[in-house]
Amino acid sequence: MAEQAKKSNNIMYLHYAVVLFFCFGFKYLPQIGALTPLGMSIVGTFIGCIYGWSLINMLWPSLVGLLALGLTLGMDTLTAQAFGNQTVLVLIFMSVVIAVTTETGAMDWLVGKLLGAKFTAGKPWLTIWFLLLVAYIMGNFNSVIMALVMCAVLNSVFKQLGVEPYSKLPVLMFLGLAFCLMLGQVTFPFLGVGLVLVSAYSAMFQTALDFAQYIMFALPIGLIMTVVYVLIMRFIMRVDVTPFKKFDASMTKRDGDGKINRDQKWALFFFFAYCVLVLLSNLRMLGPVYQVCAKFGMYGLCTGTIIIMTFIKKEDGTPLMEFNKLAKHMSWDIIVLTAYIMVLSNLMNSPDAGISASFQMLLKPMTQLSPYVFIVAILAFGCLVTNFANNLVLTILLMPMVVQFSAMVGMQPLGVICLLFFSCQMALGTPGGSPVTAIMFAQGDWVKPGPMMKTAFTILPMLFIAMIVLGLGWASVLF
């Protein structure tokens, strides 16, 4: 037994050494392609972190990656980009707001109502699809914040149903949430990431996309893909959903008869109030309401909610918001990992890194393919590479090629552009692909990074083929 433990420790030391080598030593190797010393440093830390996330844990490699980037950029610059980022600050404070719903039992009550509703009771696959549909819809507004919200819901679901940790069900459900949230964020061209990408297209080609046609193409495909994901879970991955079938209303009764109490009402009120305010801050058509909410921003809305919550007393006379007590619920895995991803995303877009130029070198041989084959190949390239690169930057990089080759075969570019947007949102394979995916990978009570990566790269080809077949077929009908 002692010999086995010693061998296990030696293997772990080897894993630590590999992470350290890539994070600190990779940049000293001969430069690859168009990568600059900065680009080599970025790629090195990313490879090291992926290795560490898979075989060690989520926190330690992220800390090492941040330290390595800090030595390259300067610690002041790193700190500003990592922990001065609004998304990271919101993750910290949003964790406390969600913790109130957990401590009071409000989230358990809400989940109990969902699982016990007439349209979901005894219908596990319908329940699963409904959860993914909610994620798809909410992804339109702020996918990172909604990822935290949906993870809180799913954690409560799994606890109440007695789901086995690290089994297929939690792995595929968390991947499904990430998939639907990211698809959702590009469905509407006047919200969030969709607006950024459409604006980039307009600036690049000096022409505006037709919003109505965009939605007519993207919305049906997005909704159908949520169904496709459930079908893959059921018939190909053969996920055991027995826990959903065993649900009984008594599982949600923590105290008394299970009715919602005053503390839970307050917790849910503030929880949903914050979610609504985030939605309002993204709806430009609301005019003055949007302007006020947008001025506060996600961080201002979150801290404002916490400030007001401190004045509310629970039934026992204690404050509803006991910040120091609730801070124990903060997931530093998620916070530090997201901080690293945000810095990485900013750096990948830098011309000084040479990463975009390296991608263009990789794509150059593909331009010799026939136009139809090239379009499918470039979409497949986007689907694969988005797992290791910033999906926004990658989409903008590939956009001119997709438009050029679709014109060569007489295809309406709008449909292909939408498929490109969707392809570059399939960043399920690594935590570095997207902050949304990073949050899912960090749900350490239910999933492990290794099986998550393996499962993601198993289902990605299926999702991509389904999207291409459905998308090109729908484009031929619509356009």
Side-chain angles (χ1 to χ4, degrees):
M1 184 67 72
E3 186 66 26
Q4 186 177 0
K6 183 178 179 181
K7 184 178 179 181
S8 177
N9 286 335
N10 289 338
I11 292 175
M12 287 304 298
Y13 289 139
L14 176 62
H15 294 328
Y16 287 127
V18 171
V19 174
L20 291 172
F21 165 75
F22 278 107
C23 287
F24 294 103
F26 188 81
K27 62 183 178 182
Y28 297 109
L29 297 178
Q31 292 179 22
I32 302 171
L35 292 178
T36 65
L38 173 61
M40 290 289 289
S41 179
I42 294 168
V43 171
T45 65
F46 189 48
I47 296 173
C49 284
I50 290 177
Y51 183 91
W53 292 330
S54 304
L55 298 171
I56 302 174
N57 57 39
M58 304 303 289
L59 180 62
W60 190 81
S62 302
L63 288 170
V64 174
L66 283 171
L67 178 61
L69 289 177
L71 293 176
T72 300
L73 300 174
M75 288 300 172
D76 288 343
T77 302
L78 174 86
T79 304
Q81 291 187 13
F83 297 101
N85 184 283
Q86 181 175 227
T87 299
V88 176
L89 289 173
V90 171
L91 287 178
I92 293 172
F93 291 103
M94 186 63 186
S95 299
V96 182
V97 175
I98 293 175
V100 175
T101 67
T102 304
E103 287 283 312
T104 60
M107 186 61 72
D108 291 344
W109 179 88
L110 183 65
V111 167
K113 288 298 179 183
L114 166 64
L115 297 176
K118 289 183 179 180
F119 75 98
T120 57
K123 302 170 186 174
W125 292 110
L126 180 60
T127 306
I128 288 170
W129 176 75
F130 178 74
L131 290 169
L132 296 180
L133 177 64
V134 171
Y136 175 71
I137 294 170
M138 302 307 287
N140 286 283
F141 301 99
N142 188 293
S143 58
V144 175
I145 298 305
M146 295 310 161
L148 271 184
V149 171
M150 293 305 299
C151 282
V153 172
L154 209 55
N155 272 284
S156 180
V157 169
F158 290 159
K159 287 176 183 176
Q160 292 189 46
L161 298 181
V163 172
E164 181 184 352
Y166 316 121
S167 61
K168 282 185 181 180
L169 181 56
V171 168
L172 280 157
M173 280 302 296
F174 281 116
L175 286 174
L177 287 183
F179 176 67
C180 292
L181 284 163
M182 288 187 287
L183 281 190
Q185 68 182 354
V186 294
T187 297
F188 292 101
F190 49 80
L191 292 172
V193 176
L195 176 62
V196 174
L197 290 174
V198 168
S199 300
Y201 175 91
S202 299
M204 195 176 295
F205 300 104
Q206 298 299 305
T207 182
L209 283 175
D210 187 308
F211 278 19
Q213 285 191 331
Y214 181 103
I215 295 170
M216 286 173 64
F217 179 86
L219 185 58
I221 296 298
L223 291 172
I224 293 172
M225 287 305 296
T226 64
V227 177
V228 169
Y229 190 91
V230 174
L231 293 176
I232 290 173
M233 286 182 65
R234 182 171 186 177
F235 296 109
I236 299 179
M237 302 306 291
R238 297 187 177 278
V239 177
D240 181 10
V241 294
T242 302
F244 281 91
K245 296 178 182 178
K246 293 181 178 179
F247 173 77
D248 183 85
S250 62
M251 294 179 179
T252 65
K253 295 180 181 179
R254 296 187 4 157
D255 301 297
D257 58 3
K259 292 183 179 179
I260 189 169
N261 60 40
R262 178 177 172 274
D263 296 345
Q264 292 167 345
K265 288 179 181 178
W266 275 118
L268 288 177
F269 170 78
F270 283 107
F271 175 75
F272 284 116
Y274 174 70
C275 291
V276 169
L277 289 171
V278 170
L279 302 186
L280 295 177
S281 69
N282 284 272
L283 298 175
R284 295 174 181 269
M285 68 284 294
L286 296 179
V289 175
Y290 159 77
Q291 292 174 2
V292 171
C293 293
K295 188 172 184 178
F296 277 89
M298 292 188 299
Y299 170 69
L301 294 172
C302 190
T303 52
T305 301
I306 291 174
I307 289 169
I308 296 173
M309 289 176 75
T310 58
F311 292 101
I312 306 299
K313 299 292 183 182
K314 293 195 289 187
E315 290 180 330
D316 61 5
T318 59
L320 181 67
M321 172 59 69
E322 296 183 87
F323 194 93
N324 291 336
K325 177 183 176 182
L326 296 169
K328 67 181 181 182
H329 292 277
M330 289 182 186
S331 173
W332 287 104
D333 284 14
I334 293 176
I335 293 166
V336 176
L337 173 59
T338 304
Y340 170 75
I341 297 302
M342 299 310 292
V343 176
L344 192 74
S345 298
N346 289 333
L347 292 177
M348 280 190 171
N349 195 30
S350 171
D352 296 333
I355 293 176
S356 296
S358 297
F359 281 147
Q360 290 172 347
M361 290 175 62
L362 287 173
L363 290 169
K364 190 173 182 180
M366 295 171 60
T367 59
Q368 306 304 313
L369 300 171
S370 67
Y372 276 113
V373 175
F374 175 81
I375 289 170
V376 175
I378 204 75
L379 294 176
F381 179 85
C383 178
L384 174 64
V385 176
T386 192
N387 290 278
F388 309 97
N390 180 289
N391 47 27
L392 186 62
V393 174
L394 181 64
T395 306
I396 294 172
L397 177 70
L398 300 179
M399 206 183 297
M401 300 181 191
V402 168
V403 172
Q404 177 186 349
F405 276 78
S406 62
M408 288 173 62
V409 295
M411 292 178 66
Q412 164 63 256
L414 178 56
V416 184
I417 284 295
C418 288
L419 289 177
L420 175 65
F421 290 178
F422 279 174
S423 297
C424 292
Q425 297 302 312
M426 293 187 176
L428 304 178
T430 72
S434 163
V436 173
T437 307
I439 290 172
M440 303 303 163
F441 270 72
Q443 303 302 311
D445 290 340
W446 302 104
V447 297
K448 293 181 179 179
M452 285 278 279
M453 290 184 188
K454 182 179 178 181
T455 303
F457 283 113
T458 299
I459 63 175
L460 273 174
M462 307 176 206
L463 293 170
F464 176 75
I465 292 171
M467 186 197 67
I468 290 298
V469 172
L470 292 168
L472 293 179
W474 180 231
S476 65
V477 172
L478 189 62
F479 305 118

